[in-house]
Amino acid sequence: MKYIRGFMMAWGNFTSIPCPSNKWYEEYRGAMLNMLPLTGTLLGIISVVVWEILSIAGINPVFAGIVVTALYFWMTGFIHLDGFMDCSDAILSRRPEMEERRRILKDSHVGAFAVIALAFMLMLFAGSMAALSEEFTMSEGAMFIIVLTLSRTFAVRDVINQKPMSTSQYNGTVYEDSREKGTAAVVSAAAVSAVMYVVFIFDFSQPFSVVNVLTLFYTIVLAALMKVVAGWVGGSARKQLGGMNGDISGCMIVLGEMSGVMLMALLSDLIGLV
């Protein structure tokens, strides 16, 4: 029940999709954070269903990629994009004083660096989605779900394990219970395993074919790239801002996902095999 309530809280707080239960349980804040990866799985499933409908309908792939991109970010409630833009403003300002960078981070006004970074990110993300829409397959959809799940896993692990910023809402003992620390990884591993099983069921007749091996290898490469990008983004941001907070986790999620879909687009021929 604890983690079911935690998932409902994560659903209600980190997506704009109407949640069946919007009750808040303060004692389950830690469980809520650990259920964040599964909200990525939920968003991915909805996005892939719409993506498949657009593909079946023969919609122009460029338009389909833009629609799925817009739908996905709308379903997040733009909460992670907000963190990405705040971090872009603060870090790219190159102010020498950390306190000044923190002030910019919390400033509600939108700066030029945030707009520029958002424009580049959306071009790369939507462009990659458009390229993938040329010959959309269930394998691509499954990989997209994996990307959205893993991006949140990496962000959650840093929120839990890294020193919080003094001004962060995570600055306290609520996430220090060691019993919570392994949950995100377990939940994400289960979600990704389920998605991979769906890939095998839908796309393969022989469970241990060479193509399956390529799929597994491709997934490992994809996850490794996202981990490297998320780790670099999180580490650089914490160094510049003096600790971990929600904005940094949002920035990690956005750039991790962007790197994931870009790799999918660049290796779309390989995806065609799997």
Side-chain angles (χ1 to χ4, degrees):
M1 183 61 70
K2 173 182 180 180
Y3 292 110
I4 293 175
R5 288 177 175 174
F7 173 65
M8 290 299 176
M9 290 167 63
W11 180 341
N13 282 274
F14 296 112
T15 81
S16 61
I17 306 169
C19 181
S21 174
N22 257 334
K23 293 183 179 180
W24 178 263
Y25 302 91
E26 182 62 29
E27 65 271 27
Y28 296 147
R29 284 172 63 95
M32 175 193 72
L33 189 65
N34 276 291
M35 292 297 104
L36 179 61
L38 279 186
T39 65
T41 306
L42 173 66
L43 295 171
I45 291 171
I46 296 173
S47 299
V48 168
V49 169
V50 174
W51 206 353
E52 175 71 4
I53 292 172
L54 294 174
S55 177
I56 293 173
I59 300 300
N60 180 284
V62 174
F63 182 70
I66 293 172
V67 168
V68 176
T69 299
L71 172 67
Y72 164 64
F73 283 116
W74 174 80
M75 288 192 298
T76 66
F78 307 110
I79 187 169
H80 307 309
L81 276 182
D82 176 68
F84 168 70
M85 294 178 71
D86 286 343
C87 286
S88 297
D89 259 343
I91 295 171
L92 296 178
S93 68
R94 296 182 177 84
R95 299 298 174 88
E97 303 85 7
M98 183 180 293
E99 288 306 315
E100 180 63 11
R101 293 194 294 270
R102 286 188 176 185
R103 184 195 66 77
I104 296 172
L105 182 73
K106 294 301 180 183
D107 193 336
S108 59
H109 296 88
V110 178
F113 290 115
V115 176
I116 294 168
L118 178 66
F120 274 102
M121 188 281 297
L122 287 177
M123 283 191 293
L124 291 170
F125 197 107
S128 298
M129 295 295 284
L132 292 169
S133 298
E134 290 283 350
E135 295 182 8
F136 177 74
T137 65
M138 284 303 299
S139 290
E140 290 178 352
M143 293 296 180
F144 184 65
I145 295 172
I146 290 173
V147 166
L148 303 191
T149 303
L150 289 181
S151 65
R152 286 158 176 78
T153 302
F154 300 143
V156 164
R157 297 305 294 168
D158 273 16
V159 168
I160 292 174
N161 292 315
Q162 299 297 331
K163 180 182 177 181
M165 199 180 299
S166 59
T167 57
S168 171
Q169 61 177 312
Y170 304 126
N171 187 33
T173 60
V174 66
Y175 302 121
E176 293 179 0
D177 186 346
S178 61
R179 291 173 297 177
E180 298 284 355
K181 291 188 176 182
T183 307
V186 172
V187 168
S188 300
V192 171
S193 297
V195 170
M196 287 302 298
Y197 184 70
V198 171
V199 174
F200 294 155
I201 290 297
F202 275 91
D203 284 354
F204 309 117
S205 57
Q206 298 180 1
F208 298 106
S209 65
V210 174
V211 180
N212 274 7
V213 175
L214 287 175
T215 303
L216 181 59
F217 174 75
Y218 173 75
T219 307
I220 292 171
V221 171
L222 185 69
L225 173 69
M226 291 180 62
K227 176 61 177 174
V228 169
V229 171
W232 175 75
V233 170
S236 299
R238 289 192 301 274
K239 182 178 180 181
Q240 291 287 325
L241 299 171
M244 187 70 186
N245 74 347
D247 286 332
I248 295 174
S249 67
C251 188
M252 291 174 64
I253 289 171
V254 169
L255 292 181
E257 290 171 351
M258 185 191 75
S259 67
V261 296
M262 285 179 63
L263 181 63
M264 287 174 62
L266 289 170
L267 301 180
S268 57
D269 290 339
L270 178 58
I271 298 175
L273 289 176
V274 298

